[in-house]
């Protein structure tokens, strides 16, 4: 996952789809495409495809409410320059109406994008609004913050190199669409800020259509979940959280949403998607996957909800929801029927009048299913290799004395009865020993409690990836080879011990054994396709730099948290979060040092909903977080022996070991505390 070849293929698909939909851009880019000769290396091909992507889907700065037509690459797109120049008057009006939602009295500073849809009404996403507003007993209210209700405003001048601000207060939440309806919410906004008046609202298109001439305007934030970090940083110039314009196209229009391929990141939630020909909004951006596709609520759906809000026909207890009866019910409504309201008990009953006949139609909607089901046709079956039990007799597994001090194998205590036991040569075992690492399995979950590896950085060797393997020492029924795994939206086989970590030794054969052994499915758990952030993957490498220079040895322990809240998907219970502990002898102190980390994929399990920047430090955002080892022990039910005492986060201000030691989101590796 996240290999050079993976990134290259993903980027190639993305670029090919854009070219097939936009012949003008395709013809303009022929010179770059011709340079991608078959003999070119993967590294060179990736660099060239990146240039193609940045030219076809650029991201531009906005300064003084004007899109700056300065492209990131010397070979920019003349076609986009001309399209944006023609749309300049329409864009300037729209740009002024888009702002960044700021919070006061909250643990976060800002949460996403919003834009004026009426003279006194701002629209954004439900999942943005849920960060600071909620449904109360008789309406919608702001949530409680540090010192009372959270205060919210919108700054329309959060631009690159612009120190000025233009903040208008959000007076009250008017409406938050309940799930599973369209991802939208409306807020009343004050009309003036001092002597400054609100910009004019953006007109909503009546019927959005497929087009190659749109742009998203919003506030992209650094997204730690994206595997292509280098490409992301080249596109955005390592400048985030400021107003940007990203041109692109609408690729598909569905019943309540449209798909577009403008370049977006987290923080773009709530962005407007503007038709460059008309200047009208065609969609409210609400989610996306980098280099794949983006989703937006259709403008006519936004207009429908806005009309209901302004007419007072939408209240918390009578919230509109997607029509379960489909086209028939829609046709009936168009013929003269009026939706009177909904009642959830927990079934939802929609009452519709039938116009002149005076009859009443009752449609009963069952509750949504409790778990996600596999999509038809998404199969990525792997047969898997299987060796012989005797092939593993020479595997010594994890070595407790590897660092020169005793660091015992972790001990499962909280769920000891769930440890998988197996027999080898007449002996009952619980530790699956491989080359340089060991695994202890959870029997009911069919995944590992943890994987523990010794890494010698001085003897590390690159080895070719091999196929996935069954472990013959335990039944196949206790291992997951397929079921939940496959192409999106299914899961990747996420390594617990990285493939590179045990691939070391005095000779190539030893390193190859470590590489091959890492490919056992006992060493995997289901992870979203883009779950592993670069920082999570780089933790071992960074720790090696701080290990004793003459040894360069570290030991790493990784595993999932198993909880009752883990959802069942594709017949498998999916861990929502993971932990990692790294132990080594510090190069400066000469003492045993151990640090703990967490990462969570919960929000990634809902691909239709993009994370908001304000929740950046939340454990639900796929961002690596440094935590105390004591807290990992408490949550996992696994004891790590003397490692908790070697943790720099273990001692509180009063010298007392703390489970609530600081949770530090890692935006850069230099933030990690090793002392």
């Amino acid at each position: 996952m996240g290999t050079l070849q993976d990134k290259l293929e993903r980027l190639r698909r993305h670029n090919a789809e854009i070219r097939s939909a936009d012949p003008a851009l395709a013809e303009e880019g022929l010179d770059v495409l011709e340079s991608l000769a078959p003999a070119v290396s993967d590294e060179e091909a990736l660099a060239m495809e990146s240039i193609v992507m940045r030219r076809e889907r650029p991201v531009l700065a906005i300064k003084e409410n004007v899109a700056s037509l300065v492209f990131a690459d010397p070979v920019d797109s003349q076609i986009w320059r001309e399209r944006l120049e023609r749309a300049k008057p329409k864009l300037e009006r729209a740009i002024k109406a888009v702002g960044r939602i700021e919070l006061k009295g909250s643990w976060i500073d800002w949460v996403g994008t919003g834009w004026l849809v009426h003279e006194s009404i701002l629209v954004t996403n439900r999942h943005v609004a849920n960060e600071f507003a909620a449904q109360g007993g008789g309406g919608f209210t702001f949530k409680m913050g540090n010192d009372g209700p959270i205060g919210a405003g919108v700054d329309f001048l959060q631009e690159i190199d612009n120190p000025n601000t233009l903040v208008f207060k959000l007076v009250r939440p008017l409406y938050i669409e309940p799930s599973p309806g369209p991802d939208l919410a409306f807020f009343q906004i004050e009309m003036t800020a001092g002597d400054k008046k609100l910009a004019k609202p953006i007109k909503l298109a009546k019927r959005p259509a497929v087009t190659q001439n749109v742009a998203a305007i919003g506030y992209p934030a650094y997204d730690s979940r994206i595997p292509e970090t280098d490409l992301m940083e080249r596109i955005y110039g390592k400048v985030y959280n400021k107003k940007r314009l990203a041109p692109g196209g609408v690729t598909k229009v569905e019943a309540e949403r449209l798909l577009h391929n403008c370049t977006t990141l987290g923080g773009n939630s709530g962005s407007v998607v503007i038709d460059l020909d008309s200047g009208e909004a065609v969609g409210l951006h609400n989610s996306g996957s980098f280099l794949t596709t983006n989703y937006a609520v259709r403008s006519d759906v936004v207009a429908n909800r806005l009309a209901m809000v302004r007419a007072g026909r939408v209240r918390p207890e009578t919230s509109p929801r997607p029509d379960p009866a489909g086209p028939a019910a829609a046709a009936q409504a168009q013929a003269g029927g009026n939706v009177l309201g909904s009642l959830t008990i927990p079934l939802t009953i929609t009452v519709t009048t039938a116009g002149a006949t005076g009859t009443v139609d009752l449609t009963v909607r069952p509750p949504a299913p409790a778990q996600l089901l596999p999509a038809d046709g998404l199969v990525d079956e792997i047969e898997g290799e299987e060796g012989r039990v005797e092939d593993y007799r020479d595997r010594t597994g994890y070595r407790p004395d590897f660092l020169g001090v005793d660091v015992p194998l972790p001990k499962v205590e909280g769920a000891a009865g769930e440890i998988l036991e197996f027999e080898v040569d007449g002996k009952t075992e619980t530790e699956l020993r491989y080359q340089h690492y060991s695994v202890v399995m959870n029997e009911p979950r069919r995944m590992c409690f943890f994987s523990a590896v010794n890494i010698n950085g001085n003897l590390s060797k690159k080895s070719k990836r091999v196929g996935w393997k069954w472990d013959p020492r335990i039944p196949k029924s206790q291992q997951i080879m397929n079921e939940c795994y496959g192409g999106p939206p299914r899961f990747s086989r996420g390594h617990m011990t990285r493939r590179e970590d045990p691939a070391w030794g005095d000779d190539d054969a030893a390193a190859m054994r470590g590489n091959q052994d890492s490919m056992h499915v006992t060493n995997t758990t289901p992870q979203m396709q883009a779950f592993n952030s670069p920082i999570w993957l780089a933790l071992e490498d960074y720790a090696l730099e701080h290990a004793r220079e003459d040894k360069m040895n570290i030991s790493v322990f990784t595993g999932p948290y198993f909880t009752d809240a883990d959802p069942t998907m594709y017949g498998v219970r999916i861990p929502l979060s993971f932990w990692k502990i790294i132990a080594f002898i510090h190069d400066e102190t000469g003492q045993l040092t151990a640090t703990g980390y967490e990462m969570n994929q919960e929000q990634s399990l809902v691909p239709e909903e993009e994370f908001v920047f304000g929740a950046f430090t939340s454990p639900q955002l796929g961002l690596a977080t440094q935590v105390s080892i004591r807290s990992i022990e408490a949550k996992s039910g696994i004891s790590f022996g003397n490692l908790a005492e070697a943790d720099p986060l273990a001692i509180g201000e009063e010298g007392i070991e703390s489970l609530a030691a600081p949770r530090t989101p890692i935006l850069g590796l230099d933030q990690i505390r090793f002392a």
Side-chain angles (χ1 to χ4, degrees), residues 22-42:
D22 196 330
L25 279 181
E27 183 177 355
E28 183 188 50
L30 284 177
D31 56 334
V32 179
L33 293 174
E34 289 172 355
S35 67
L36 296 172
V40 79
S41 69
D42 285 347

Side-chain angles (χ1 to χ4, degrees), residues 379-505:
V379 179
D380 183 22
E381 296 290 325
I382 293 178
E383 183 176 342
E385 301 176 10
E386 184 175 17
R388 303 171 303 167
V389 172
E390 50 267 32
D391 294 338
Y392 297 81
R393 285 183 177 143
D394 65 342
R395 305 297 202 267
T396 57
Y398 170 84
R399 284 177 42 201
D401 62 348
F402 182 71
L403 300 180
V405 297
D406 185 52
V407 179
L409 193 73
K411 183 178 180 181
V412 178
E413 295 180 339
E418 297 181 359
I419 296 175
L420 175 65
E421 296 181 346
F422 57 96
E423 286 196 6
V424 175
D425 297 333
K427 292 171 128 183
T428 300
E429 302 274 0
T430 59
E431 179 185 350
L432 290 168
R433 296 177 180 85
Y434 301 102
Q435 181 82 354
H436 304 316
Y437 83 100
S438 295
V439 163
V440 173
M441 295 289 290
N442 180 306
E443 182 173 5
R445 297 294 291 266
R446 299 186 293 157
M447 302 175 206
C448 65
F449 273 110
F450 62 83
S451 186
V453 63
N454 304 129
I455 307 172
N456 185 323
N458 286 325
L459 298 179
S460 179
K461 294 178 173 62
K462 289 189 177 297
S463 301
K464 186 177 179 181
R465 187 185 182 104
V466 298
W468 291 102
K469 300 174 181 291
W470 299 96
D471 191 313
R473 294 170 289 184
I474 63 176
K476 287 186 177 180
S477 60
Q478 295 300 141
Q479 305 172 67
I480 304 173
M481 178 64 74
N482 295 299
E483 301 174 60
C484 60
Y485 296 126
R490 295 199 185 203
F491 296 87
S492 289
R493 296 171 182 85
H495 283 83
M496 292 291 91
T497 285
R498 290 191 312 175
R499 185 170 66 88
E500 301 89 342
D501 288 352
W504 59 270

